[in-house]
Structure formats: C-alpha cells, structure tokens
Amino acid sequence: MKRRKNGNKQYFTRMGTRKKVHAFVRVKPTDDFAHEMIRYGDDKRSIDIHLKKDIRRGVVNNQQIDWSFKLDGVLHDASQDLVYETVAKDVVSQALNGYNGNLIN
C-alpha cells in the first residue's frame, strides 16, 4: 500500500496488484439458432464458428469462414443468475469497495 495526499485528504492505493481482463461469451439459442455453425470446446472455454462459403462471391474468394476463440468461459444457455455469479459478482463487489470495474455487454 502506498499513502498519497490529495489536498487535505489522505488515501491509500494498492501497489503491484495487476488483474487481467476476463472475457466471457454468453450464447442464448433461439428457435432459428444456427446450431451447425457453432461448436463448443469440452473445456467450456473455447468456441469455434464456421460459416459456409458464399458461392455468389465466385470460385476464388478470400472470405474467412472459420473463427476460433479461447476465453475465460463460455456460458451456453445459462441463466441470468449463473451469468451474474460467474461474470459480474466479483466486479460489483470490488466496485462497492471503491475499486474500478467494467462490464461490457
């Protein structure tokens, strides 16, 4: 901890505490969900997306058709409570204790 002065106030900041950014994806299937396009890793931390090649673009095209993502977690068909417990609970708790926190939806 390092003590700093700001006018008449003194406050403490944590030194040497580095936190990494966590990335999660939540997939909510619908009736017309493209199940054949998405594959989930057995580790529940990776997701692969495959798109069929657009034949209207011609025989020779450089359209990317495969993407792979490694994440901190894949929440497939997860409840709102599970999403909060997994993703937001710690960030909200730390924000209430005065630390910065961000959630991007």
PDB file of all heavy atoms in Angstrom, residues 19-27 43-47 68-75 83 86-88 91 102-105:
ATOM      1  N   LYS A  19      -4.527  -7.085 -12.371  1.00  0.00           N
ATOM      2  CA  LYS A  19      -5.606  -8.005 -12.706  1.00  0.00           C
ATOM      3  C   LYS A  19      -5.731  -8.036 -14.217  1.00  0.00           C
ATOM      4  O   LYS A  19      -5.572  -7.027 -14.873  1.00  0.00           O
ATOM      5  CB  LYS A  19      -6.913  -7.539 -12.087  1.00  0.00           C
ATOM      6  CG  LYS A  19      -6.844  -7.457 -10.588  1.00  0.00           C
ATOM      7  CD  LYS A  19      -7.929  -8.235 -10.000  1.00  0.00           C
ATOM      8  CE  LYS A  19      -7.763  -8.193  -8.489  1.00  0.00           C
ATOM      9  NZ  LYS A  19      -8.607  -9.078  -7.830  1.00  0.00           N
ATOM     10  N   LYS A  20      -6.023  -9.186 -14.749  1.00  0.00           N
ATOM     11  CA  LYS A  20      -6.178  -9.279 -16.196  1.00  0.00           C
ATOM     12  C   LYS A  20      -7.648  -9.097 -16.566  1.00  0.00           C
ATOM     13  O   LYS A  20      -8.539  -9.254 -15.734  1.00  0.00           O
ATOM     14  CB  LYS A  20      -5.662 -10.616 -16.712  1.00  0.00           C
ATOM     15  CG  LYS A  20      -6.513 -11.801 -16.354  1.00  0.00           C
ATOM     16  CD  LYS A  20      -5.987 -13.066 -17.007  1.00  0.00           C
ATOM     17  CE  LYS A  20      -7.009 -14.172 -16.872  1.00  0.00           C
ATOM     18  NZ  LYS A  20      -6.768 -15.256 -17.763  1.00  0.00           N
ATOM     19  N   VAL A  21      -7.870  -8.758 -17.782  1.00  0.00           N
ATOM     20  CA  VAL A  21      -9.221  -8.636 -18.305  1.00  0.00           C
ATOM     21  C   VAL A  21      -9.738 -10.046 -18.577  1.00  0.00           C
ATOM     22  O   VAL A  21      -9.041 -10.877 -19.154  1.00  0.00           O
ATOM     23  CB  VAL A  21      -9.227  -7.809 -19.609  1.00  0.00           C
ATOM     24  CG1 VAL A  21     -10.594  -7.820 -20.258  1.00  0.00           C
ATOM     25  CG2 VAL A  21      -8.774  -6.391 -19.325  1.00  0.00           C
ATOM     26  N   HIS A  22     -10.947 -10.316 -18.130  1.00  0.00           N
ATOM     27  CA  HIS A  22     -11.564 -11.617 -18.366  1.00  0.00           C
ATOM     28  C   HIS A  22     -12.574 -11.488 -19.499  1.00  0.00           C
ATOM     29  O   HIS A  22     -13.296 -10.496 -19.573  1.00  0.00           O
ATOM     30  CB  HIS A  22     -12.273 -12.123 -17.105  1.00  0.00           C
ATOM     31  CG  HIS A  22     -11.342 -12.417 -15.987  1.00  0.00           C
ATOM     32  ND1 HIS A  22     -10.643 -13.598 -15.890  1.00  0.00           N
ATOM     33  CD2 HIS A  22     -10.964 -11.674 -14.923  1.00  0.00           C
ATOM     34  CE1 HIS A  22      -9.890 -13.574 -14.814  1.00  0.00           C
ATOM     35  NE2 HIS A  22     -10.063 -12.405 -14.211  1.00  0.00           N
ATOM     36  N   ALA A  23     -12.616 -12.482 -20.358  1.00  0.00           N
ATOM     37  CA  ALA A  23     -13.543 -12.467 -21.488  1.00  0.00           C
ATOM     38  C   ALA A  23     -14.444 -13.692 -21.426  1.00  0.00           C
ATOM     39  O   ALA A  23     -13.970 -14.818 -21.315  1.00  0.00           O
ATOM     40  CB  ALA A  23     -12.764 -12.451 -22.797  1.00  0.00           C
ATOM     41  N   PHE A  24     -15.742 -13.443 -21.469  1.00  0.00           N
ATOM     42  CA  PHE A  24     -16.746 -14.494 -21.479  1.00  0.00           C
ATOM     43  C   PHE A  24     -17.668 -14.265 -22.655  1.00  0.00           C
ATOM     44  O   PHE A  24     -17.833 -13.131 -23.107  1.00  0.00           O
ATOM     45  CB  PHE A  24     -17.587 -14.460 -20.192  1.00  0.00           C
ATOM     46  CG  PHE A  24     -16.841 -14.854 -18.957  1.00  0.00           C
ATOM     47  CD1 PHE A  24     -16.107 -13.934 -18.250  1.00  0.00           C
ATOM     48  CD2 PHE A  24     -16.873 -16.160 -18.514  1.00  0.00           C
ATOM     49  CE1 PHE A  24     -15.416 -14.284 -17.114  1.00  0.00           C
ATOM     50  CE2 PHE A  24     -16.180 -16.533 -17.372  1.00  0.00           C
ATOM     51  CZ  PHE A  24     -15.455 -15.591 -16.669  1.00  0.00           C
ATOM     52  N   VAL A  25     -18.293 -15.320 -23.133  1.00  0.00           N
ATOM     53  CA  VAL A  25     -19.330 -15.187 -24.145  1.00  0.00           C
ATOM     54  C   VAL A  25     -20.556 -15.945 -23.643  1.00  0.00           C
ATOM     55  O   VAL A  25     -20.448 -17.020 -23.064  1.00  0.00           O
ATOM     56  CB  VAL A  25     -18.870 -15.694 -25.528  1.00  0.00           C
ATOM     57  CG1 VAL A  25     -18.623 -17.182 -25.543  1.00  0.00           C
ATOM     58  CG2 VAL A  25     -19.879 -15.325 -26.602  1.00  0.00           C
ATOM     59  N   ARG A  26     -21.704 -15.306 -23.817  1.00  0.00           N
ATOM     60  CA  ARG A  26     -22.975 -15.946 -23.454  1.00  0.00           C
ATOM     61  C   ARG A  26     -23.736 -16.199 -24.742  1.00  0.00           C
ATOM     62  O   ARG A  26     -23.978 -15.286 -25.524  1.00  0.00           O
ATOM     63  CB  ARG A  26     -23.796 -15.046 -22.546  1.00  0.00           C
ATOM     64  CG  ARG A  26     -25.122 -15.670 -22.151  1.00  0.00           C
ATOM     65  CD  ARG A  26     -25.946 -14.723 -21.321  1.00  0.00           C
ATOM     66  NE  ARG A  26     -27.103 -15.397 -20.772  1.00  0.00           N
ATOM     67  CZ  ARG A  26     -28.063 -14.771 -20.128  1.00  0.00           C
ATOM     68  NH1 ARG A  26     -27.997 -13.462 -19.950  1.00  0.00           N
ATOM     69  NH2 ARG A  26     -29.083 -15.440 -19.659  1.00  0.00           N
ATOM     70  N   VAL A  27     -24.114 -17.442 -24.961  1.00  0.00           N
ATOM     71  CA  VAL A  27     -24.852 -17.825 -26.161  1.00  0.00           C
ATOM     72  C   VAL A  27     -26.260 -18.208 -25.734  1.00  0.00           C
ATOM     73  O   VAL A  27     -26.440 -19.110 -24.918  1.00  0.00           O
ATOM     74  CB  VAL A  27     -24.162 -19.008 -26.885  1.00  0.00           C
ATOM     75  CG1 VAL A  27     -24.919 -19.366 -28.141  1.00  0.00           C
ATOM     76  CG2 VAL A  27     -22.718 -18.666 -27.194  1.00  0.00           C
ATOM     77  N   ASP A  43     -13.780 -28.016 -22.788  1.00  0.00           N
ATOM     78  CA  ASP A  43     -13.296 -27.308 -21.609  1.00  0.00           C
ATOM     79  C   ASP A  43     -14.195 -26.140 -21.196  1.00  0.00           C
ATOM     80  O   ASP A  43     -13.969 -25.504 -20.187  1.00  0.00           O
ATOM     81  CB  ASP A  43     -11.883 -26.785 -21.851  1.00  0.00           C
ATOM     82  CG  ASP A  43     -11.800 -25.840 -23.047  1.00  0.00           C
ATOM     83  OD1 ASP A  43     -12.831 -25.613 -23.729  1.00  0.00           O
ATOM     84  OD2 ASP A  43     -10.703 -25.331 -23.306  1.00  0.00           O
ATOM     85  N   LYS A  44     -15.233 -25.848 -21.979  1.00  0.00           N
ATOM     86  CA  LYS A  44     -16.155 -24.724 -21.752  1.00  0.00           C
ATOM     87  C   LYS A  44     -15.418 -23.396 -21.709  1.00  0.00           C
ATOM     88  O   LYS A  44     -15.827 -22.450 -21.045  1.00  0.00           O
ATOM     89  CB  LYS A  44     -16.980 -24.933 -20.483  1.00  0.00           C
ATOM     90  CG  LYS A  44     -17.887 -26.127 -20.570  1.00  0.00           C
ATOM     91  CD  LYS A  44     -18.804 -26.220 -19.400  1.00  0.00           C
ATOM     92  CE  LYS A  44     -19.659 -27.471 -19.585  1.00  0.00           C
ATOM     93  NZ  LYS A  44     -20.723 -27.575 -18.642  1.00  0.00           N
ATOM     94  N   ARG A  45     -14.310 -23.336 -22.454  1.00  0.00           N
ATOM     95  CA  ARG A  45     -13.510 -22.116 -22.524  1.00  0.00           C
ATOM     96  C   ARG A  45     -13.159 -21.746 -23.952  1.00  0.00           C
ATOM     97  O   ARG A  45     -12.385 -20.819 -24.172  1.00  0.00           O
ATOM     98  CB  ARG A  45     -12.234 -22.284 -21.702  1.00  0.00           C
ATOM     99  CG  ARG A  45     -12.509 -22.522 -20.225  1.00  0.00           C
ATOM    100  CD  ARG A  45     -11.234 -22.711 -19.497  1.00  0.00           C
ATOM    101  NE  ARG A  45     -10.690 -21.395 -19.210  1.00  0.00           N
ATOM    102  CZ  ARG A  45     -10.406 -20.963 -18.016  1.00  0.00           C
ATOM    103  NH1 ARG A  45     -10.563 -21.740 -16.990  1.00  0.00           N
ATOM    104  NH2 ARG A  45      -9.929 -19.763 -17.830  1.00  0.00           N
ATOM    105  N   SER A  46     -13.705 -22.471 -24.908  1.00  0.00           N
ATOM    106  CA  SER A  46     -13.409 -22.163 -26.304  1.00  0.00           C
ATOM    107  C   SER A  46     -14.661 -22.348 -27.147  1.00  0.00           C
ATOM    108  O   SER A  46     -15.560 -23.109 -26.804  1.00  0.00           O
ATOM    109  CB  SER A  46     -12.267 -23.043 -26.823  1.00  0.00           C
ATOM    110  OG  SER A  46     -12.629 -24.409 -26.752  1.00  0.00           O
ATOM    111  N   ILE A  47     -14.694 -21.610 -28.244  1.00  0.00           N
ATOM    112  CA  ILE A  47     -15.828 -21.667 -29.147  1.00  0.00           C
ATOM    113  C   ILE A  47     -15.301 -21.541 -30.576  1.00  0.00           C
ATOM    114  O   ILE A  47     -14.383 -20.766 -30.838  1.00  0.00           O
ATOM    115  CB  ILE A  47     -16.859 -20.563 -28.804  1.00  0.00           C
ATOM    116  CG1 ILE A  47     -18.128 -20.724 -29.611  1.00  0.00           C
ATOM    117  CG2 ILE A  47     -16.283 -19.191 -28.957  1.00  0.00           C
ATOM    118  CD1 ILE A  47     -19.269 -19.849 -29.119  1.00  0.00           C
ATOM    119  N   SER A  68     -11.925 -19.151 -34.303  1.00  0.00           N
ATOM    120  CA  SER A  68     -11.773 -19.865 -33.029  1.00  0.00           C
ATOM    121  C   SER A  68     -11.440 -18.842 -31.950  1.00  0.00           C
ATOM    122  O   SER A  68     -10.592 -17.971 -32.161  1.00  0.00           O
ATOM    123  CB  SER A  68     -10.654 -20.898 -33.105  1.00  0.00           C
ATOM    124  OG  SER A  68     -11.016 -21.942 -33.957  1.00  0.00           O
ATOM    125  N   PHE A  69     -12.109 -18.974 -30.809  1.00  0.00           N
ATOM    126  CA  PHE A  69     -11.893 -18.051 -29.705  1.00  0.00           C
ATOM    127  C   PHE A  69     -11.612 -18.843 -28.437  1.00  0.00           C
ATOM    128  O   PHE A  69     -12.325 -19.794 -28.128  1.00  0.00           O
ATOM    129  CB  PHE A  69     -13.128 -17.173 -29.483  1.00  0.00           C
ATOM    130  CG  PHE A  69     -13.498 -16.345 -30.674  1.00  0.00           C
ATOM    131  CD1 PHE A  69     -14.448 -16.795 -31.574  1.00  0.00           C
ATOM    132  CD2 PHE A  69     -12.886 -15.124 -30.904  1.00  0.00           C
ATOM    133  CE1 PHE A  69     -14.794 -16.037 -32.678  1.00  0.00           C
ATOM    134  CE2 PHE A  69     -13.222 -14.367 -32.005  1.00  0.00           C
ATOM    135  CZ  PHE A  69     -14.181 -14.825 -32.893  1.00  0.00           C
ATOM    136  N   LYS A  70     -10.578 -18.451 -27.720  1.00  0.00           N
ATOM    137  CA  LYS A  70     -10.272 -19.013 -26.411  1.00  0.00           C
ATOM    138  C   LYS A  70     -10.619 -17.932 -25.391  1.00  0.00           C
ATOM    139  O   LYS A  70     -10.143 -16.808 -25.480  1.00  0.00           O
ATOM    140  CB  LYS A  70      -8.814 -19.402 -26.316  1.00  0.00           C
ATOM    141  CG  LYS A  70      -8.429 -20.453 -27.331  1.00  0.00           C
ATOM    142  CD  LYS A  70      -7.523 -21.488 -26.739  1.00  0.00           C
ATOM    143  CE  LYS A  70      -7.107 -22.514 -27.756  1.00  0.00           C
ATOM    144  NZ  LYS A  70      -8.106 -23.463 -28.099  1.00  0.00           N
ATOM    145  N   LEU A  71     -11.442 -18.297 -24.422  1.00  0.00           N
ATOM    146  CA  LEU A  71     -11.983 -17.339 -23.482  1.00  0.00           C
ATOM    147  C   LEU A  71     -11.814 -17.828 -22.050  1.00  0.00           C
ATOM    148  O   LEU A  71     -11.349 -18.945 -21.828  1.00  0.00           O
ATOM    149  CB  LEU A  71     -13.482 -17.138 -23.774  1.00  0.00           C
ATOM    150  CG  LEU A  71     -13.812 -16.758 -25.216  1.00  0.00           C
ATOM    151  CD1 LEU A  71     -15.171 -17.258 -25.604  1.00  0.00           C
ATOM    152  CD2 LEU A  71     -13.722 -15.266 -25.376  1.00  0.00           C
ATOM    153  N   ASP A  72     -12.234 -17.019 -21.114  1.00  0.00           N
ATOM    154  CA  ASP A  72     -12.254 -17.449 -19.717  1.00  0.00           C
ATOM    155  C   ASP A  72     -13.478 -18.303 -19.422  1.00  0.00           C
ATOM    156  O   ASP A  72     -13.510 -19.014 -18.436  1.00  0.00           O
ATOM    157  CB  ASP A  72     -12.213 -16.239 -18.782  1.00  0.00           C
ATOM    158  CG  ASP A  72     -10.871 -15.544 -18.845  1.00  0.00           C
ATOM    159  OD1 ASP A  72      -9.876 -16.179 -18.463  1.00  0.00           O
ATOM    160  OD2 ASP A  72     -10.815 -14.388 -19.289  1.00  0.00           O
ATOM    161  N   GLY A  73     -14.463 -18.234 -20.295  1.00  0.00           N
ATOM    162  CA  GLY A  73     -15.643 -19.060 -20.108  1.00  0.00           C
ATOM    163  C   GLY A  73     -16.648 -18.876 -21.212  1.00  0.00           C
ATOM    164  O   GLY A  73     -16.782 -17.796 -21.780  1.00  0.00           O
ATOM    165  N   VAL A  74     -17.351 -19.956 -21.540  1.00  0.00           N
ATOM    166  CA  VAL A  74     -18.450 -19.930 -22.497  1.00  0.00           C
ATOM    167  C   VAL A  74     -19.707 -20.324 -21.727  1.00  0.00           C
ATOM    168  O   VAL A  74     -19.769 -21.408 -21.148  1.00  0.00           O
ATOM    169  CB  VAL A  74     -18.209 -20.898 -23.677  1.00  0.00           C
ATOM    170  CG1 VAL A  74     -19.424 -20.938 -24.589  1.00  0.00           C
ATOM    171  CG2 VAL A  74     -16.962 -20.507 -24.454  1.00  0.00           C
ATOM    172  N   LEU A  75     -20.664 -19.437 -21.698  1.00  0.00           N
ATOM    173  CA  LEU A  75     -21.909 -19.675 -20.985  1.00  0.00           C
ATOM    174  C   LEU A  75     -22.996 -19.959 -22.013  1.00  0.00           C
ATOM    175  O   LEU A  75     -23.597 -19.045 -22.576  1.00  0.00           O
ATOM    176  CB  LEU A  75     -22.260 -18.460 -20.126  1.00  0.00           C
ATOM    177  CG  LEU A  75     -21.191 -18.073 -19.110  1.00  0.00           C
ATOM    178  CD1 LEU A  75     -21.473 -16.707 -18.519  1.00  0.00           C
ATOM    179  CD2 LEU A  75     -21.089 -19.125 -18.038  1.00  0.00           C
ATOM    180  N   VAL A  83     -24.931 -16.265 -14.956  1.00  0.00           N
ATOM    181  CA  VAL A  83     -24.099 -15.244 -15.611  1.00  0.00           C
ATOM    182  C   VAL A  83     -23.607 -14.240 -14.570  1.00  0.00           C
ATOM    183  O   VAL A  83     -22.430 -13.892 -14.536  1.00  0.00           O
ATOM    184  CB  VAL A  83     -24.869 -14.534 -16.739  1.00  0.00           C
ATOM    185  CG1 VAL A  83     -24.083 -13.348 -17.281  1.00  0.00           C
ATOM    186  CG2 VAL A  83     -25.186 -15.514 -17.861  1.00  0.00           C
ATOM    187  N   THR A  86     -20.966 -15.868 -12.256  1.00  0.00           N
ATOM    188  CA  THR A  86     -19.717 -16.171 -12.954  1.00  0.00           C
ATOM    189  C   THR A  86     -18.962 -14.928 -13.387  1.00  0.00           C
ATOM    190  O   THR A  86     -17.738 -14.855 -13.255  1.00  0.00           O
ATOM    191  CB  THR A  86     -20.005 -17.044 -14.192  1.00  0.00           C
ATOM    192  OG1 THR A  86     -20.737 -18.192 -13.792  1.00  0.00           O
ATOM    193  CG2 THR A  86     -18.731 -17.475 -14.881  1.00  0.00           C
ATOM    194  N   VAL A  87     -19.672 -13.934 -13.896  1.00  0.00           N
ATOM    195  CA  VAL A  87     -19.035 -12.801 -14.562  1.00  0.00           C
ATOM    196  C   VAL A  87     -19.020 -11.531 -13.713  1.00  0.00           C
ATOM    197  O   VAL A  87     -18.003 -10.868 -13.609  1.00  0.00           O
ATOM    198  CB  VAL A  87     -19.733 -12.514 -15.912  1.00  0.00           C
ATOM    199  CG1 VAL A  87     -19.123 -11.318 -16.602  1.00  0.00           C
ATOM    200  CG2 VAL A  87     -19.667 -13.738 -16.817  1.00  0.00           C
ATOM    201  N   ALA A  88     -20.126 -11.187 -13.109  1.00  0.00           N
ATOM    202  CA  ALA A  88     -20.270  -9.847 -12.551  1.00  0.00           C
ATOM    203  C   ALA A  88     -20.102  -9.743 -11.046  1.00  0.00           C
ATOM    204  O   ALA A  88     -19.779  -8.666 -10.543  1.00  0.00           O
ATOM    205  CB  ALA A  88     -21.639  -9.285 -12.938  1.00  0.00           C
ATOM    206  N   VAL A  91     -16.797  -8.227  -9.771  1.00  0.00           N
ATOM    207  CA  VAL A  91     -16.608  -6.851 -10.242  1.00  0.00           C
ATOM    208  C   VAL A  91     -17.493  -5.896  -9.451  1.00  0.00           C
ATOM    209  O   VAL A  91     -17.056  -4.826  -9.024  1.00  0.00           O
ATOM    210  CB  VAL A  91     -16.899  -6.747 -11.759  1.00  0.00           C
ATOM    211  CG1 VAL A  91     -16.815  -5.307 -12.230  1.00  0.00           C
ATOM    212  CG2 VAL A  91     -15.934  -7.615 -12.545  1.00  0.00           C
ATOM    213  N   ASN A 102     -15.269  -2.805 -14.780  1.00  0.00           N
ATOM    214  CA  ASN A 102     -16.032  -2.616 -16.009  1.00  0.00           C
ATOM    215  C   ASN A 102     -16.655  -3.917 -16.445  1.00  0.00           C
ATOM    216  O   ASN A 102     -16.022  -4.960 -16.413  1.00  0.00           O
ATOM    217  CB  ASN A 102     -15.134  -2.110 -17.143  1.00  0.00           C
ATOM    218  CG  ASN A 102     -14.671  -0.705 -16.907  1.00  0.00           C
ATOM    219  OD1 ASN A 102     -15.479   0.175 -16.643  1.00  0.00           O
ATOM    220  ND2 ASN A 102     -13.376  -0.492 -16.985  1.00  0.00           N
ATOM    221  N   LEU A 103     -17.883  -3.825 -16.891  1.00  0.00           N
ATOM    222  CA  LEU A 103     -18.569  -4.930 -17.544  1.00  0.00           C
ATOM    223  C   LEU A 103     -19.066  -4.411 -18.877  1.00  0.00           C
ATOM    224  O   LEU A 103     -19.707  -3.366 -18.939  1.00  0.00           O
ATOM    225  CB  LEU A 103     -19.763  -5.430 -16.715  1.00  0.00           C
ATOM    226  CG  LEU A 103     -19.425  -6.090 -15.408  1.00  0.00           C
ATOM    227  CD1 LEU A 103     -20.704  -6.356 -14.612  1.00  0.00           C
ATOM    228  CD2 LEU A 103     -18.703  -7.395 -15.650  1.00  0.00           C
ATOM    229  N   ILE A 104     -18.750  -5.115 -19.930  1.00  0.00           N
ATOM    230  CA  ILE A 104     -19.193  -4.718 -21.261  1.00  0.00           C
ATOM    231  C   ILE A 104     -20.178  -5.752 -21.743  1.00  0.00           C
ATOM    232  O   ILE A 104     -19.891  -6.940 -21.738  1.00  0.00           O
ATOM    233  CB  ILE A 104     -17.994  -4.605 -22.228  1.00  0.00           C
ATOM    234  CG1 ILE A 104     -17.016  -3.563 -21.703  1.00  0.00           C
ATOM    235  CG2 ILE A 104     -18.467  -4.242 -23.617  1.00  0.00           C
ATOM    236  CD1 ILE A 104     -15.709  -3.519 -22.441  1.00  0.00           C
ATOM    237  N   ASN A 105     -21.327  -5.312 -22.135  1.00  0.00           N
ATOM    238  CA  ASN A 105     -22.361  -6.231 -22.593  1.00  0.00           C
ATOM    239  C   ASN A 105     -22.434  -6.219 -24.088  1.00  0.00           C
ATOM    240  O   ASN A 105     -22.406  -5.285 -24.747  1.00  0.00           O
ATOM    241  CB  ASN A 105     -23.700  -5.835 -21.991  1.00  0.00           C
ATOM    242  CG  ASN A 105     -24.760  -6.857 -22.291  1.00  0.00           C
ATOM    243  OD1 ASN A 105     -24.512  -7.911 -22.847  1.00  0.00           O
ATOM    244  ND2 ASN A 105     -25.963  -6.526 -21.901  1.00  0.00           N
TER     245      ASN A 105
END
